[in-house]
Amino acid sequence: MHVLVIDDEAAIRQILASALGKAGHSVDTASGVKEASAKLVRGDVDVALCDIMMPDGNGVELVRSFRGSGIDTQFVMVTAFASMETAVEALRAGATDYMVKPVRNEELLHRIEQIGSMRGLKAENQALRQMVARERGVFHFGSRSMIEMERLVSKVAVTDSTVLVTGESGTGKGVTARNIHEMSPRSEFPFIPVNCGAIPENLLESEFFGHAKGAFTGADRARKGLFTQADRGTLFLDEIGELPLHMQTKLLHVIEDKEVRPLGGEQVRKVDVRIVAATNRNLAEMVKEGRFREDLYFRLAMFHIHIPPLRDRKEDIARLIHFVLQNLAAGHGKKALELDPIAEEILVEFAWPGNVRELENVINRAHILADGERITLADLPPDIARSVQKREIPGIEIASNVGLREQLRRLESEIITRALRDAGGDRRLAAQKLDIGLSSLYRKLEEMEANSVG
């Protein structure tokens, strides 16, 4: 962490800075309130060890001023005056802790470590809440390509290698990046996702590296950048192909030098951040066209993971559908809805241009529209429902003058009849082949008989 030691006695500053530096912290010093204010305003100080009585001001007032400005610095007050009134005043002003001189190195380092753990835990709790909100269970892929992809993820996750995740929109690049972080030694520290294409070009440098107060018009307070926020954790750069060339150059320097300089600031800060980048664009082609730096491309693609589109791994589609239905049921405290075999067949054969994201949206919509305990083709979006009329279905003639529900009834009857024939008349086996309950099959047979009589 970056620690600022504020004390008017040079010997004390030197002793505390030396102990903190040997423990691996980045350390700066200030001899009074004025000098400390100039360094705190940059917004990159994690912890300030602050004396209370100084020639040019009071440490408590310094804390009160900067805590009110929104700067995320934790203050630990250090004083020779061990009065309860002073301690209470400092804590009320916003200080995190209070220590009495002479400060023992072991106690100091313990307090700093506690603050670091508290900050990391806060970030981790936020990440866990987001993860739990998104994912209620563990999904197991059925396709060979995705099983291999999971194997690669497990191998690279435990390293500090930069990773480039590629694939069409909606394939799950963000989920893969988060999995890499959660499986890594950095999992106790922040996972910071950022969509590079969503940040206005004139704000990119400030967002990535932070800025000092007054760095530009409207910068009324210092701000930590994404790299500083992700320190010791993972920074997920989604849509990396959207970064302009000048920012690609700055990003390369940060990755190589592991340090950032806030916009308008003078001090360079060391950062320990793992980069996972993602794109749906062909970066190799962009390199040839001069729209992406070759050195940055090779730096990012130290480990390349490609996620194939859903249409190329149909073995996963039915699994994904039932996984989403199970999660929806768990979220509502109800039994999962059944999926009509015809609807499932159409969903598996659909091209899914939006991949997993589109499939999840379709199933969520069908879950809302479904009547009773079963999702049918009629509950699916019109473009998917119409796709049944655009493909050849052996044994079924699609008539343009017959309504959709009647066509679906005929198709369902044909599928059930085939399943019974293939099962040699064994209804239990036919139900298994259709992936429906035996009672559901009996009900369908009764409906078929009634319709034939009618």
Side-chain angles (χ1 to χ4, degrees), residues 182-387:
E182 294 297 334
M183 296 167 64
S184 78
R186 297 174 178 266
S187 61
E188 295 183 0
F189 299 99
F191 174 83
I192 306 292
V194 54
N195 186 331
C196 298
I199 304 174
E201 187 170 340
N202 63 326
L203 296 179
L204 280 169
E205 190 171 350
S206 171
E207 286 292 322
F208 274 71
F209 313 130
H211 63 253
K213 183 178 180 181
F216 51 85
T217 303
D220 56 349
R221 63 179 64 185
R223 177 176 179 177
K224 289 185 177 182
L226 294 167
F227 273 91
T228 303
Q229 294 175 40
D231 196 20
R232 294 191 287 176
T234 302
L235 184 60
F236 172 46
L237 302 178
D238 196 11
E239 303 301 342
I240 188 72
E242 304 301 321
L243 278 184
L245 283 169
H246 74 91
M247 272 304 297
Q248 294 176 27
T249 302
K250 293 179 182 293
L251 176 60
L252 178 64
H253 289 163
V254 174
I255 293 174
E256 292 181 338
D257 300 337
K258 298 185 183 301
E259 58 184 28
V260 296
R261 185 194 299 273
L263 188 64
E266 298 178 358
Q267 185 176 5
V268 171
R269 172 172 179 168
K270 288 288 185 182
V271 289
D272 175 19
V273 177
R274 183 189 196 167
I275 300 294
V276 178
T279 183
N280 60 5
R281 304 179 70 175
N282 188 328
L283 293 188
E285 286 298 320
M286 292 180 67
V287 168
K288 292 179 182 178
E289 296 167 359
R291 294 186 293 125
F292 202 86
R293 288 187 62 111
E294 184 177 35
D295 44 6
L296 177 59
Y297 170 67
F298 287 121
R299 202 73 167 83
L300 293 172
M302 288 179 66
F303 202 100
H304 182 192
I305 295 175
H306 181 71
I307 306 177
L310 203 52
R311 62 182 173 275
D312 290 345
R313 47 187 176 98
K314 293 185 180 295
E315 306 96 313
D316 292 329
I317 295 178
R319 288 170 177 258
L320 279 165
I321 293 169
H322 291 286
F323 178 72
V324 174
L325 288 174
Q326 290 291 340
N327 283 345
L328 287 170
H332 293 84
K334 297 180 179 179
K335 178 183 175 183
L337 295 183
E338 290 185 12
L339 182 62
D340 190 280
I342 299 173
E344 181 169 328
E345 182 183 357
I346 298 302
L347 291 171
V348 169
E349 293 301 322
F350 191 64
W352 297 111
N355 292 292
V356 179
R357 186 183 298 123
E358 182 184 13
L359 184 146
E360 288 179 335
N361 291 339
V362 166
I363 299 304
N364 272 277
R365 176 185 184 276
H367 190 270
I368 294 171
L369 295 178
D371 293 324
E373 299 180 351
R374 174 182 287 259
I375 293 174
T376 68
L377 192 57
D379 301 316
L380 303 182
D383 59 324
I384 296 179
R386 282 195 298 269
S387 70

